[in-house]
């Protein structure tokens, strides 16, 4: 007992000297740990759970946004789908009469790319741009010329990178308000006034279902090319079998028919592409909502595990301290 008391007195005497000079290992360890790590030594468990909790809150907010965007896209799709289906009856009779000769070889080609002004709608815009570039390459040559007419901001952003000099006309925000045939016919008239063409090739996405769209190319030939193909007896050879009434010549009638066909096809193309855009956005937002739900489940599991580990560690520390005091 006397020896134990002497050791305690000696320890108390040497304690101030030992505390004034920390060990080398402790000093080195403190210099290697960053301030963030030092602040995390005492409260690492609380900080980690707080980080997970903040991340869960962010994912929940993102999920709310994607669900709301899906509902908005579904509402817009229902509004435009009926109009797109009704517009198919405009261009089909004209295409049956004048044909849709995509393989006709001409010198002056104009590729009209229909795209959206906003993103978050899958790959419909990239698909249209790829097809437009392919058409430009297929119709290129020493005596040939290919120009672009772009409808929509997304196609413009992609084509302007490598084909800026070939862009003859660019129009954006055409779908800001619901379009009718009169507005599209004025738009088609502006295109015809600003470009010289032998063939107009309209690239758009035809709506099939909410999860499916079909990239489509519709070709509108100039009246001269239509007359040449009819005289050659090709796919337009049946045009001469119709009887022409009135004082208009055949060239004038073809001019009117091709302009009307172009406006009808443009009207249908804009509506079909709008349907495809909203359908693709619905699918994209639905996938995003499901992914956010999966991520939220994983974060919830991580949070529960971290909290349980924190509670277990604290219990072990309390029990160890109590055992040391009693011992």
């Amino acid at each position: 007992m006397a020896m134990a008391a002497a050791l305690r007195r000696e320890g108390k005497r040497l304690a101030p000297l030992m505390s004034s000079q920390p060990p080398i290992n402790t000093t080195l360890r403190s210099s290697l740990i960053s301030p963030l790590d030092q602040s995390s030594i005492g409260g690492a468990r609380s900080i980690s759970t707080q980080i997970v909790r903040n991340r869960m809150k962010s994912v929940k907010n993102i999920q709310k946004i994607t669900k709301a965007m899906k509902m908005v896209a579904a509402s817009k799709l229902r509004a435009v789908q009926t109009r797109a289906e009704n517009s198919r009856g405009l261009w089909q009779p004209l295409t049956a009469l004048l044909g849709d000769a995509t393989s006709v070889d001409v010198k002056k080609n104009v590729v009209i790319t229909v795209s959206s002004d906003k993103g978050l709608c899958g790959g419909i815009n990239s698909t249209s741009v790829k097809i437009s570039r392919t058409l430009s390459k297929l119709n290129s040559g020493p005596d040939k010329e290919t120009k672009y007419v772009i409808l929509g901001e997304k196609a413009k952003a992609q084509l302007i990178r490598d084909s800026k000099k070939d862009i003859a006309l660019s129009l954006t925000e055409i779908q800001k308000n619901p379009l009718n045939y009169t507005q599209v016919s004025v738009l088609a008239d502006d295109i015809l006034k600003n470009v010289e063409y032998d063939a107009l090739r309209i690239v758009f996405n035809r709506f099939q279902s909410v999860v499916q769209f079909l990239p489509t190319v519709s070709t509108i030939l100039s009246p001269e090319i239509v007359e040449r193909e009819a005289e050659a007896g090709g796919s337009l050879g049946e045009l001469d079998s119709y009887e022409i009434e009135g004082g208009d010549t055949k060239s004038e009638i073809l001019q009117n028919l091709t302009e009307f066909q172009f406006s009808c096809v443009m009207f249908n193309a804009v509506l079909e592409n709008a349907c495809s855009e909203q359908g693709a956005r619905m699918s994209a937002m639905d996938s995003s909502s499901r992914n956010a739900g999966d991520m939220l489940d994983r974060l919830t599991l991580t949070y529960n595990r971290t909290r349980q580990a924190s509670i277990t560690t604290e219990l072990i520390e309390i029990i160890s301290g109590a055992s040391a005091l009693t011992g």
Side-chain angles (χ1 to χ4, degrees):
M1 295 294 292
M3 184 178 295
L7 288 175
R8 281 197 297 271
R9 287 195 299 271
E10 188 68 18
K12 291 180 180 180
R13 187 177 65 82
L14 295 177
L17 298 176
M18 295 176 65
S19 61
S20 61
Q21 295 181 357
I24 298 177
N25 292 338
T26 305
T27 306
L28 180 61
R29 183 173 178 271
S30 300
S31 63
L32 293 177
I33 298 177
S34 63
L36 179 61
D37 294 334
Q38 290 179 2
S39 64
S40 302
I41 292 174
R45 292 183 295 273
S46 61
I47 290 177
S48 62
T49 53
Q50 183 65 33
I51 292 174
V52 176
R53 194 183 299 115
N54 292 339
R55 184 68 181 275
M56 290 170 63
K57 184 178 179 180
S58 300
V59 174
K60 285 181 181 178
N61 292 335
I62 293 173
Q63 189 179 39
K64 290 179 182 178
I65 294 172
T66 54
K67 287 183 177 179
M69 292 183 67
K70 178 186 175 183
M71 295 176 63
V72 172
S75 177
K76 291 182 177 180
L77 176 61
R78 284 193 296 268
V80 75
Q81 184 176 359
T82 304
R83 299 173 59 207
E85 292 174 351
N86 294 335
S87 68
R88 294 172 184 172
L90 288 174
W91 63 269
Q92 289 173 348
L94 292 170
T95 302
L97 174 63
L98 301 176
D100 189 1
T102 56
S103 60
V104 174
D105 188 17
V106 295
K107 292 183 178 180
K108 295 180 180 180
N109 290 277
V110 176
V111 179
I112 303 175
T113 307
V114 183
S115 68
S116 64
D117 293 314
K118 299 179 181 180
L120 300 177
C121 53
I124 64 171
N125 297 316
S126 300
T127 302
S128 298
V129 171
K130 288 179 182 178
I131 294 175
S132 300
R133 286 173 174 162
T134 302
L135 288 174
S136 178
K137 291 179 181 179
L138 291 175
N139 294 282
S140 61
D143 298 330
K144 295 182 179 181
E145 181 184 13
T146 302
K147 293 292 184 181
Y148 289 109
V149 173
I150 303 173
L151 305 182
E153 187 65 36
K154 292 302 178 179
K156 177 184 176 182
Q158 296 186 47
L159 289 173
I160 204 171
R161 299 172 187 169
D162 55 355
S163 306
K164 185 176 181 179
K165 63 179 181 178
D166 296 328
I167 298 176
L169 186 63
S170 177
L171 301 170
T172 58
E173 297 186 356
I174 61 173
Q175 299 179 16
K176 190 173 183 180
N177 298 315
L179 290 174
N180 53 35
Y181 177 76
T182 303
Q183 294 172 322
V184 176
S185 62
V186 173
L187 179 67
D189 188 56
D190 290 339
I191 294 174
L192 294 177
K193 289 179 180 178
N194 286 279
V195 297
E196 295 181 359
Y197 71 98
D198 291 331
L200 297 166
R201 306 185 188 276
I202 306 172
V203 181
F204 63 98
N205 295 283
R206 189 176 301 282
F207 179 76
Q208 300 290 323
S209 65
V210 176
V211 295
Q212 185 181 9
F213 56 90
L214 180 65
T216 306
V217 179
S218 294
T219 303
I220 311 297
L221 301 177
S222 65
E224 296 79 9
I225 302 299
V226 171
E227 191 170 0
R228 187 192 71 183
E229 290 294 317
E231 293 175 354
S235 58
L236 305 178
E238 298 180 357
L239 187 62
D240 291 332
S241 61
Y242 291 91
E243 182 180 354
I244 299 176
E245 295 181 356
D248 294 336
T249 62
K250 182 179 179 181
S251 300
E252 293 174 345
I253 293 175
L254 285 176
Q255 180 74 29
N256 294 332
L257 284 175
T258 52
E259 291 179 0
F260 184 55
Q261 181 191 16
F262 176 55
S263 62
C264 292
V265 173
M266 276 291 297
F267 181 55
N268 177 253
V270 171
L271 293 178
E272 293 278 0
N273 199 80
C275 282
S276 301
E277 175 192 353
Q278 300 303 333
R281 184 170 287 116
M282 277 186 61
S283 300
M285 293 302 103
D286 183 60
S287 298
S288 300
S289 300
R290 289 200 306 269
N291 292 338
D294 295 340
M295 184 178 293
L296 193 59
D297 293 339
R298 292 195 296 269
L299 288 173
T300 303
L301 182 61
T302 302
Y303 175 76
N304 292 334
R305 286 178 176 174
T306 306
R307 188 182 60 176
Q308 291 171 2
S310 173
I311 295 172
T312 304
T313 305
E314 289 177 359
L315 288 175
I316 292 174
E317 291 175 354
I318 292 171
I319 295 172
S320 300
S323 300
L325 290 175
T326 57

